[in-house]
Amino acid sequence: SKATSSATSAATQFLSSLSADQKKIAQIPFQDARRLEWHFVPMETRKGLPLREMNDDQARLALAVLKSVMSDTG
């Protein structure tokens, strides 16, 4: 679908902008149980690559991934 294609493109562009070290932090294998650990409060153990550790272009591309999978209201 068009939405899937848009999200795939946005994610590919974002991942392509990251260094190898950043990719290790930003990605986890699909089979990894940590993939299901979602929390909506700040946690010391939160996984992922924080926006503050990205350059401006990387942060813009990360937000483009979110925009590709959310409604305008979201």
Side-chain angles (χ1 to χ4, degrees), residues 4-55:
T4 302
S5 177
S6 176
T8 300
S9 176
T12 300
Q13 288 177 2
F14 169 64
L15 291 172
S16 295
S17 77
L18 301 178
S19 70
D21 288 338
Q22 288 174 313
K23 282 183 186 177
K24 288 178 188 174
I25 298 168
Q27 293 180 289
I28 61 171
F30 185 79
Q31 301 84 357
D32 194 310
R34 294 175 299 157
R35 183 178 64 85
L36 302 175
E37 294 176 4
W38 285 88
H39 305 280
F40 299 97
V41 296
M43 297 182 66
E44 189 173 320
T45 59
R46 186 175 296 274
K47 316 301 185 287
L49 181 64
L51 287 171
R52 70 179 172 274
E53 293 182 16
M54 298 177 201
N55 65 37

